[in-house]
């Protein structure tokens, strides 16, 4: 079977003695699943008695898609008599003793550390649509590649396929590849639909008729676009947020502080002039005195009133609020009432953080908020986090909420530290409409 040129490039890396991780794809129709299935077939035949993993986020999807590709290709190559598919065991057993294990790699809350893979020993792995699995799952699978490597003179090899996605595949593979900074043991091969001469012209035309985000990702292989319908801030809005020529620094000034706590290593400060962030600074995890001192310096330098200063009050932040005597932001507290058509209503948000995140995302999408930033590292980290501001369970009725921080951390491979100091800015907009209730003492 003749491979596509890009598939041949990937196979070269899968057979060398240096590369351990290969990411293939980056668009639709590039032969991603076919490459992985063909590689597993060859390895199973070439190295008797070896064990390989074929995985995907959900086993059901794997059986309905990737496994069908495997059967189709094995039929064309007349290999169907050389193996048996054991549906109940989720294995493909070859006559020479090799086997392929079909694995569900979804990050289930009941198995946060993937203990189900704990005793697994494999010779290599192919994870189809790996952008849909947790980065931790990728790492765990790779750590299990040790079975009969020495016997056959092999090194650990893991192949992943994916479409463009702004998660760990972007951070760990595409971005370093684009910057010519991939570590020597990793390779990325971009395959576009136009690289595949076997695709019907009507399929290419259908890709071009998709919405802008999907067209950029699936036809042009543009990794800077995300077509997740749950995303609250699109790529263009994020770019405009950091090119804020349309935002004037006017009105009052505010200070938002996201205090370092468990899982974080720094406290983030942002100074706002109206809806324009004019300063961002951070200090490493330190005592309350250092945080309070830095905040007071910013208040003095930018002439910010104490009543226009807010700090994350959860955990250690409570001490900052007490010492600084500023406003406190409690993430899981009840959302604030909002004024609509002259009437105060109870908003349909799960908590205050969801309310401020969703409303601040609306401000950014409407090009009503911006930030001055000349630090490329901060800019990239903040953009990465803003892309992950998404609605949770969008297909379900009920209160609106955002994807929790723990899930975002899984997707981007680090703690999201920038967004909280941005979304807290909206609290001051809510304060204008909030009716303070007078508590009457009991007689």
């Amino acid at each position: 079977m003749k491979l596509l040129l890009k598939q041949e490039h990937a196979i070269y890396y899968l057979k060398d003695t240096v590369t351990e991780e290969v990411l293939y794809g980056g668009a639709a129709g590039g032969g991603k699943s076919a490459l992985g299935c063909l590689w597993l077939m060859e390895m199973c035949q070439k190295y008797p008695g070896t064990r390989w993993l074929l995985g995907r986020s959900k086993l059901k999807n794997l059986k309905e898609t990737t496994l069908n590709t495997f059967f189709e290709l094995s039929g064309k190559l007349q290999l169907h008599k050389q193996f048996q598919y054991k549906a109940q065991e989720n294995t493909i057993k070859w006559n020479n003793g090799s086997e392929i294990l079909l694995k569900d790699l979804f990050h289930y809350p009941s198995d946060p550390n993937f203990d189900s893979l704990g005793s697994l020993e494999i010779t290599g792995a192919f994870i189809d649509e790996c952008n849909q699995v947790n980065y931790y799952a990728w790492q765990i699978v790779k750590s299990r590649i040790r079975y009969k490597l020495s016997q056959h003179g092999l090194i650990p090899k893991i192949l992943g396929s994916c479409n463009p996605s702004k998660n760990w595949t972007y951070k760990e593979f595409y971005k370093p590849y684009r910057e010519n900074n991939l570590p020597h043991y990793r390779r990325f091969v971009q395959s576009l639909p136009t690289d595949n001469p076997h695709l019907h012209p009507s399929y290419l035309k259908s890709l071009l008729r998709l919405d802008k985000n999907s067209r950029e990702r699936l036809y042009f292989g543009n990794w800077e676009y995300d077509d997740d319908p749950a995303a609250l801030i699109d790529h263009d809005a994020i770019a405009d947020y950091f090119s804020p020529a349309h935002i004037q620094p006017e009105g009052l000034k505010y200070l938002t502080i996201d205090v370092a706590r468990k899982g974080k290593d720094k406290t983030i400060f942002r100074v706002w002039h109206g809806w324009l962030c004019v300063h961002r600074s951070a200090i490493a995890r330190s005592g309350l005195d250092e945080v309070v001192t830095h905040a007071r310096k910013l208040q003095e330098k930018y002439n910010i009133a104490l009543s226009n200063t807010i700090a994350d009050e959860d955990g250690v932040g409570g001490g900052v609020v007490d010492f600084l005597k500023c406003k406190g932001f409690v993430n899981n507290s009840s959302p604030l009432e909002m004024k609509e058509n002259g009437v105060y209503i109870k908003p349909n948000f799960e908590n205050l953080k969801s309310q401020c995140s969703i409303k601040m995302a609306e401000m950014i999408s409407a090009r009503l908020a911006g930030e001055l930033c000349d630090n490329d590292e901060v800019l990239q980290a903040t953009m990465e986090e803003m892309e992950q501001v998404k609605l949770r369970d969008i297909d379900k009725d009920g209160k609106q909420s955002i994807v929790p921080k723990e899930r975002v951390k899984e997707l981007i491979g680090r703690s999201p530290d920038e967004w909280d100091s941005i979304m807290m800015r909206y609290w001051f907009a809510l304060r204008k409409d909030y009716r303070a209730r007078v508590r009457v003492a009991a007689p």
Side-chain angles (χ1 to χ4, degrees), residues 105-290:
L105 298 176
F106 187 76
H107 192 216
Y108 292 99
S110 58
D111 187 18
N113 297 317
F114 292 95
D115 294 329
S116 59
L117 302 176
S119 59
L120 185 68
E121 288 191 10
I122 54 177
T123 314
F126 167 47
I127 302 179
D128 203 8
E129 300 295 348
C130 64
N131 55 300
Q132 298 175 1
V133 308
N134 191 302
Y135 181 47
Y136 188 46
W138 175 274
Q139 294 175 302
I140 291 295
V141 169
K142 185 185 177 185
S143 73
R144 302 297 181 257
I145 303 177
R146 56 180 179 266
Y147 186 66
K148 293 189 176 182
L149 295 179
S150 298
Q151 178 178 331
H152 294 288
L154 300 173
I155 66 171
K157 296 276 185 178
I158 180 171
L159 167 66
S161 74
C162 72
N163 290 324
S165 184
K166 295 303 286 288
N167 59 10
W168 66 268
T169 55
Y170 176 92
K171 178 182 178 182
E172 298 292 331
F173 283 88
Y174 179 74
K175 187 172 183 289
Y177 162 81
R178 185 187 64 192
E179 298 172 350
N180 197 28
N181 195 33
L182 261 179
H184 72 279
Y185 61 89
R186 281 180 171 169
R187 289 292 182 266
F188 170 71
V189 180
Q190 173 108 348
S191 179
L192 303 177
T194 50
D195 295 326
N196 188 349
H198 306 300
L199 292 178
H200 196 280
S202 62
Y203 176 73
L204 297 178
K205 291 180 181 179
S206 68
L207 291 178
L208 287 171
R209 287 193 290 267
L210 295 172
D211 62 88
K212 182 180 180 181
N213 278 3
S214 299
R215 184 171 64 248
E216 287 289 338
R217 291 177 59 252
L218 301 180
Y219 185 87
F220 295 106
N222 189 340
W223 285 70
E224 304 304 333
Y225 280 79
D226 189 345
D227 68 344
D228 189 339
L232 292 172
I233 317 174
D234 63 31
H235 173 267
D236 291 338
I238 294 174
D240 290 341
Y241 175 82
F242 287 104
S243 301
H246 54 291
I247 305 296
Q248 296 300 317
E250 56 187 6
L252 298 175
K253 295 180 180 179
Y254 306 91
L255 174 61
T256 57
I257 310 170
D258 186 34
V259 183
R261 55 192 182 279
K262 183 179 180 181
K264 292 184 55 178
D265 60 0
K266 55 190 174 183
T267 295
I268 308 294
F269 303 81
R270 273 185 164 82
V271 174
W272 302 81
H273 192 172
W275 289 99
L276 180 67
C277 177
V278 296
H279 170 85
R280 179 267 183 201
S281 57
I283 59 174
R285 183 181 293 178
S286 53
L288 295 178
D289 291 345
E290 290 84 354

